[in-house]
């Protein structure tokens, strides 16, 4: 999506683009919102790419102007929708003069093909300048993510700036081990420690940190227009319900599922029409860690609906449907 917040200064020759990557549940959307809240007087376009067929992250952006956001769902920017990305960027330039573009990739994206779009597409490289790849890593789950996912390894290796996020959930000794592991994959990226993805914005914006030669050292073939293939065992599905949800039953069910399937249940995220709540309720899980909180109030003309996106390996959709149905309030 695209966020408009006014404009300062002279028109730039090329619009700087910051690409925010990171494995599922690392804190990318939280970082995007932190940036938007701090970019006062700027006109910033935000492009959100999600792996699931329903876009939850886009609904959590701080913008009230839906024309200022672009979402790509059920497709990956490194795969099927790269042409859409080119067309979207061209359209954005025609609609408004921009100060910056933020791209939040799906947690399963390989960053190299995204970068190549800005280097090999003539219509894009003349107007946009890749400023930096910022990779957010989930401190409690990084070691497991790196072991399980080639994409997670690529995201770390390709980064110009790495945020070790959720440092409040691990020990100082664990953080030191995480940083040492990161350095084996990427010895030159700048590393910052964060909680809730909060970082001083000058450390990640306008840094000019993207270096084509360094990227070619990581992946000499990344400028080639090669197909990127995801692990076929990893998939996603969405559950939707218009009746209110009993969140006590839902949390008991999901906590048990997370403990049982934590190794394969990579990520869930949902916004709920919850019984007894005037607000939308946001639920999230990353492997075995779950959380729930109140979101904003429902708008008067807004359809009250629950939407849950599930991402994982070899998951049985029917099993989730059956469990979810048991959480629906009867007779409502």
């Amino acid at each position: 999506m695209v966020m408009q917040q006014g404009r300062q200064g002279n028109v730039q020759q090329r619009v700087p683009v910051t690409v925010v990557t990171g494995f599922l549940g690392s804190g990318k959307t939280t970082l995007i919102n932190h940036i938007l809240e701090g970019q006062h007087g700027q006109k910033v376009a935000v492009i959100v790419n999600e792996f699931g067929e329903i876009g939850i992250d886009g609904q959590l952006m701080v913008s009230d102007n839906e024309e200022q956001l672009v979402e790509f769902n059920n497709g990956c920017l490194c795969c099927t929708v790269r042409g859409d990305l080119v067309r979207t960027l061209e359209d954005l330039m025609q609609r408004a003069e921009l100060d910056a573009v933020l791209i939040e990739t799906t947690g399963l994206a390989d960053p190299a093909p995204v970068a190549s779009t800005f280097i090999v597409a003539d219509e894009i490289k003349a107007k946009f300048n890749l400023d930096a790849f910022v990779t957010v890593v989930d401190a409690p789950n990084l070691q497991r993510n790196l072991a399980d996912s080639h994409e997670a390894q690529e995201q770390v290796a390709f980064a110009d700036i790495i945020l070790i996020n959720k440092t409040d959930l691990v020990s100082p000794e664990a953080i030191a081990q995480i940083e040492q592991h990161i350095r084996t994959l990427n010895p030159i990226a700048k590393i910052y420690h964060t909680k809730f993805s909060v970082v001083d914005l000058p450390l990640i914006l306008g840094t000019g940190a993207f270096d084509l030669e360094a990227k070619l050292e990581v992946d000499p073939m990344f400028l080639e227009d090669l197909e990127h293939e995801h692990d076929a065992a990893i998939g996603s599905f969405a559950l939707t319900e218009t009746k209110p949800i009993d969140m006590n039953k839902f949390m008991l069910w999901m906590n048990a599922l997370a403990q049982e399937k934590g190794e394969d249940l990579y990520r869930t995220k949902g916004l709920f029409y919850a019984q007894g709540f005037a607000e939308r309720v946001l639920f999230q899980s990353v492997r075995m860690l779950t959380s729930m909180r109140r979101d904003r109030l429902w708008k008067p003309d807004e359809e009250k609906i629950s939407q849950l996106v599930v991402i994982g390996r070899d998951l049985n959709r029917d099993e989730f449907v059956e469990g979810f149905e048991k959480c629906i309030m009867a007779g409502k």
Side-chain angles (χ1 to χ4, degrees):
M1 306 177 186
V2 182
M3 167 76 56
Q4 180 173 338
Q5 300 181 342
R7 184 168 178 79
Q8 291 180 342
N10 297 324
V11 176
Q12 296 169 327
Q13 292 298 317
R14 290 199 295 168
V15 177
V17 178
T18 300
V19 181
V20 177
T21 72
F23 201 67
L24 299 161
S26 58
K28 298 184 298 295
T29 301
T30 304
L31 175 62
I32 294 288
N33 275 332
H34 171 60
I35 293 171
L36 293 177
E37 290 167 347
Q39 288 295 95
H40 303 297
Q42 299 285 304
K43 187 182 292 184
V44 182
V46 182
I47 298 174
V48 180
N49 182 212
E50 296 193 60
F51 190 71
E53 63 202 67
I54 292 176
I56 300 296
D57 288 348
Q59 299 182 54
L60 298 174
M61 291 294 171
V62 296
S63 172
D64 289 326
N65 186 348
E66 294 190 0
E67 290 186 356
Q68 303 304 322
L69 288 136
V70 177
E71 284 187 282
F72 295 128
N73 297 327
N74 208 22
C76 182
L77 282 180
C78 63
C79 304
T80 57
V81 297
R82 285 178 64 196
D84 290 337
L85 173 60
V86 172
R87 287 187 291 273
T88 296
L89 289 167
E90 290 181 311
D91 180 58
L92 290 174
M93 289 299 289
Q94 293 174 2
R95 279 167 32 191
E97 293 179 348
L98 299 174
D99 292 298
V101 173
L102 301 174
I103 297 177
E104 178 191 342
T105 71
T106 169
L108 296 172
D110 182 342
V114 180
S116 71
T117 302
F118 290 87
I119 296 168
V120 303
D122 292 336
E123 64 273 42
I124 296 304
K125 66 183 182 182
K127 300 173 183 176
F128 295 90
N129 175 54
L130 266 178
D131 187 69
F133 270 76
V134 179
T135 296
V136 187
V137 302
D138 177 356
N141 292 298
L142 177 63
Q143 307 284 21
R144 184 182 296 137
N145 292 341
L146 291 175
D148 290 349
S149 169
H150 173 73
E151 286 87 359
Q153 297 171 22
E154 291 288 330
Q155 290 162 3
V156 170
F158 206 81
D160 304 301
I161 299 164
I162 296 173
L163 305 184
I164 301 177
N165 195 33
K166 307 181 187 179
T167 54
D168 53 318
L169 302 180
V170 296
S171 68
E173 293 78 15
I175 293 174
Q177 292 177 354
I178 289 168
E179 188 160 337
Q180 185 177 13
H181 194 165
I182 287 173
R183 283 301 180 211
T184 66
L185 295 170
N186 189 329
I188 61 174
K190 292 187 178 298
I191 297 177
Y192 303 107
H193 300 171
T194 62
K195 302 173 185 176
F196 304 103
S197 298
V198 174
V199 62
D200 290 339
L201 297 187
L203 297 178
I204 61 173
L205 299 178
T207 62
F210 181 80
D211 184 340
L212 177 57
E213 291 185 2
K215 297 300 178 283
L216 288 171
E217 290 181 7
V218 172
D219 182 0
M221 300 295 291
F222 100 84
L223 290 180
E224 303 292 332
D225 191 17
L226 302 176
E227 290 289 332
H228 171 61
E229 296 183 359
H230 292 294
D231 186 339
I234 299 176
S236 73
F237 53 85
L239 306 178
T240 302
E241 177 55 51
T242 57
K243 295 179 182 178
I245 301 298
D246 183 328
M247 294 308 294
N248 288 327
K249 289 183 178 179
F250 177 82
M251 289 299 293
L252 287 171
W253 171 58
M254 283 303 303
N255 281 329
L257 266 181
Q259 294 302 314
E260 176 189 351
K261 302 180 182 295
E263 294 300 315
D264 296 320
L265 184 62
Y266 291 167
R267 181 77 164 117
T268 67
K269 180 176 283 192
L271 282 169
F272 289 89
Y273 169 31
Q275 176 70 17
F277 290 82
E279 308 91 345
R280 304 188 306 179
V281 173
L282 173 65
F283 170 83
Q284 302 186 70
S285 76
V286 181
R287 297 193 186 265
M288 286 179 275
L289 181 66
T290 66
S291 68
M292 184 184 79
R293 67 171 174 83
R294 297 170 187 259
D295 193 53
R296 63 165 173 79
L297 291 169
W298 290 98
K299 298 177 182 177
D301 58 347
E302 186 175 11
E303 180 186 12
K304 292 182 178 179
I305 188 172
S306 298
Q307 298 176 320
L308 175 68
V309 174
V310 180
I311 304 174
R313 180 187 297 273
D314 293 325
L315 298 178
N316 185 335
R317 186 183 191 279
D318 292 340
E319 180 182 352
F320 280 79
V321 170
E322 181 181 354
F324 190 56
E325 288 178 346
K326 293 178 180 178
C327 303
I328 300 170
M329 297 293 296
K332 296 291 182 177

